Amino acid sequence: MGEQGRAAALVKRFGVAPIINAGGPNTLHAGSRPRDEVLAAMVEAAGLFFRMDELVLRAGEMIAAAVGAEAATVTAGAGSGLTLQSAAAITRGDPEKIARLPDTRRMPNELIIQRRHRFVYDHLYLTPGAKFVEVGDASGCVPDELEAAITDRTVGLIHLESSFKQGGSVPLPTLAEIAHRHDLPVLCDAASRLPPRSNLTKFLDEGADLVSFSGGKAVRGPQSTGILLGTKEWVEWARLNNAPNATVGRAMKVSREEIVGLVAAVEAFVAVDEAAEMAEYREQMQMIVDRISDIPGLRAVVEHNFDHVMPHAVAYLTPAWRGPSRETIHARLLAGTPRIYVSIFGVSDEIYVDPLNIQPGELEIVAQRFEEELRAAAAEG
Ligand SMILES: *Cc1c(COP(=O)(O)O)cnc(C)c1O
C-alpha cells in the first residue's frame, strides 16, 4: 500500500472524515503538520530508552542554542508552559514549596495580570495554586496601577503577547522594569507569535524572564509540545516543577519521541529562509484574493501584520455585505466535500485562509471552494 492507500485505510477504520486545514494551526483543528525531520527523529527515539531527566536537560540546551536564548526547556504545549511559569514564580527553586504545590497555603501566590491580558487559557497560570490580581480595566492599564498592586503576596507579573490583546496595555519593557525593581519575574505567553522567528528572542530582550511558545503551531513539531525560554535561573526553576519529577507538572509529561521531535522541529524552523517562505505564502494568498475581490460586499486583501503573523487571504464582510454571517460560511465549508476549515478567529468581521497547513495539491481546491461559497452567499443577500 502506498502512502495514500494507508491514509485512506486509516480514515475508513476511524470513520472520522479529515479536513483540509486552511485556517491555521490551532488545537481544535489538529495543530500543524510535523516536519519530515520530526517524524524521522520520533521513530528513532522510540527505539531507545533514556534517563528522562538527562534527555530533558540536553534538549533544553539544544533548543536554547538553536534559537539564541540563554536557556530553554520542553513543555507539554505552550499551555503547560504557563503552568510551569507560575509554579516557578511561586517556588523559586525551594524544594519544600515545589513538593507542596498546588497547596499554596502560607505562601505568596499572587500573579498580577492586566484586565486586557485576560483570555481563555489564562486559568493555566492558576493550576499550581496561584491567584490573579487584576489591574486596569477593559480600556487599558497604566504603569502606576501595576506598581500599586504589588504587595508581599505578589510572585510575578503576566504579559500576554497575542492578537486577542488590543492596545491600551503597559508596554513589556515598562512592565519588566517595574517587575524587576521589585525582584519579581515577568511571565510571558507568546504561544502563537511565530513567525517572525525574531520573536523567539524579542520578548526576552524586552525583559521577560520566561516566554512560552507552542511547538505544534508554526514550528511544526509534535502538536502536544511547547518551548519555554528564559534566563538560566528561571528556566531551571520551571523545570524543577515539571515531569518526570513527582510535582505539580507530573501530569504534563512529554515523551522521548516528542522531545527529540521538538528539537528537530526547532532546528529546522530556525534554518528556513523566512523572507522566501513569506514571499511564497503571499503569492499563494494573493491568488485567492484575486479570485474573490469582485464579490459585492467583500473587501478581499492579503494581510500580514500584528493580527496575521504570516500572509493570510482575508475576506472582510463590509457594511455592504448582504449574505449570511461568517459563522454560516465557515460551517458550510466545513460541511462540504472535501471538508475545508477556514478561520473566523479574526478580531473584525472577517474570514481568512492561512497557508501554513495547506498541503501540495490543496491550494486550488481551497481557492475554488472559498470562491464558490462566498459567491453563493453574496447572491443570497
Ligand atoms: C495556542 C495558544 C496557547 C496554547 O498553546 P498550546 O501549545 O496549544 O498548549 C496559549 N496561549 C495562546 C495565546 C495561544 O495562542
Side-chain angles (χ1 to χ4, degrees):
M1 236 189 298
E3 199 182 315
Q4 286 200 338
R6 284 198 302 275
L10 186 144
V11 167
K12 188 155 176 252
R13 194 161 89 78
F14 278 76
V16 178
I19 58 176
I20 289 178
N21 184 330
N26 52 71
T27 293
L28 184 59
H29 300 92
S32 57
R33 179 176 179 138
R35 297 170 192 277
D36 292 341
E37 304 89 315
V38 173
L39 296 174
M42 291 177 81
V43 170
E44 278 163 29
L48 301 167
F49 291 90
F50 297 99
R51 272 283 304 229
M52 290 302 284
D53 46 0
E54 294 171 7
L55 185 65
V56 165
L57 281 169
R58 181 62 191 136
E61 287 172 5
M62 292 168 81
I63 291 171
V67 308
E70 192 180 309
T73 195
V74 177
T75 64
S80 114
L82 307 188
T83 298
L84 295 168
Q85 290 183 13
S86 172
I90 296 168
T91 59
R92 295 181 89 117
D94 178 339
E96 280 174 36
K97 287 183 173 175
I98 291 171
R100 268 180 49 203
L101 294 190
D103 178 353
T104 49
R105 280 173 295 176
R106 296 178 302 282
M107 288 180 208
N109 67 341
E110 290 178 359
L111 294 172
I112 295 176
I113 184 167
Q114 297 170 71
R115 180 84 184 285
R116 296 199 74 156
H117 291 230
R118 303 254 9 221
F119 81 114
V120 291
Y121 295 153
D122 64 17
H123 62 283
L124 298 169
Y125 280 113
L126 304 180
T127 305
K131 277 180 22 189
F132 285 148
V133 172
E134 269 189 50
V135 292
D137 57 25
S139 67
C141 181
V142 295
D144 285 349
E145 289 175 280
L146 262 183
E147 187 141 22
I150 296 175
T151 69
D152 57 5
R153 305 278 313 152
T154 309
V155 295
L157 277 65
I158 291 172
H159 176 85
L160 171 67
E161 204 44 65
S162 163
S163 55
F164 302 138
K165 182 198 73 180
Q166 298 287 309
S169 307
V170 176
L172 176 54
T174 308
L175 178 130
E177 190 272 314
I178 294 170
H180 295 156
R181 199 148 23 83
H182 294 267
D183 187 31
L184 293 167
V186 174
L187 313 180
C188 176
D189 174 5
S192 52
R193 304 309 292 170
L194 298 172
R197 286 155 179 82
S198 56
N199 278 353
L200 282 164
T201 48
K202 179 175 183 214
F203 312 123
L204 295 170
D205 291 343
E206 290 183 353
D209 298 276
L210 288 169
V211 182
S212 279
F213 292 101
S214 292
K217 292 178 180 168
V219 173
R220 294 178 53 202
Q223 193 194 355
S224 47
T225 57
I227 305 160
L228 180 55
L229 304 176
T231 62
K232 274 208 163 63
E233 181 174 59
W234 280 106
V235 167
E236 179 61 7
W237 287 348
R239 185 191 70 82
L240 291 172
N241 288 278
N242 204 5
N245 303 324
T247 55
V248 75
R250 175 59 182 79
M252 307 182 303
K253 179 194 282 186
V254 186
S255 73
R256 64 191 183 286
E257 297 86 353
E258 293 169 316
I259 291 170
V260 301
L262 179 63
V263 172
V266 171
E267 289 177 347
F269 176 71
V270 298
V272 171
D273 176 347
E274 187 167 293
E277 184 186 46
M278 292 304 125
E280 189 185 342
Y281 286 155
R282 174 169 287 278
E283 196 177 305
Q284 293 174 355
M285 296 300 97
Q286 188 63 49
M287 183 275 279
I288 293 180
V289 162
D290 289 344
R291 289 177 70 145
I292 60 173
S293 52
D294 68 320
I295 299 177
L298 285 187
R299 187 169 68 85
V301 56
V302 176
E303 296 278 32
H304 184 194
N305 53 29
F306 187 80
D307 292 330
H308 298 280
V309 298
M310 62 181 70
H312 290 159
V314 185
Y316 291 99
L317 307 185
T318 72
W321 175 253
R322 295 286 167 266
S325 70
R326 64 176 178 171
E327 286 77 14
T328 300
I329 296 162
H330 166 266
R332 286 176 183 172
L333 281 162
L334 198 59
T337 309
R339 309 178 68 192
I340 297 176
Y341 163 60
V342 293
S343 180
I344 48 173
F345 268 153
V347 282
S348 38
D349 199 4
E350 62 185 84
I351 311 170
Y352 68 82
V353 172
D354 179 309
L356 182 74
N357 289 330
I358 298 178
Q359 301 304 305
E362 291 179 347
L363 183 66
E364 178 55 32
I365 301 169
V366 170
Q368 191 195 322
R369 285 288 299 126
F370 197 45
E371 178 186 354
E372 250 170 42
E373 276 311 332
L374 289 171
R375 277 194 200 287
E380 279 171 43

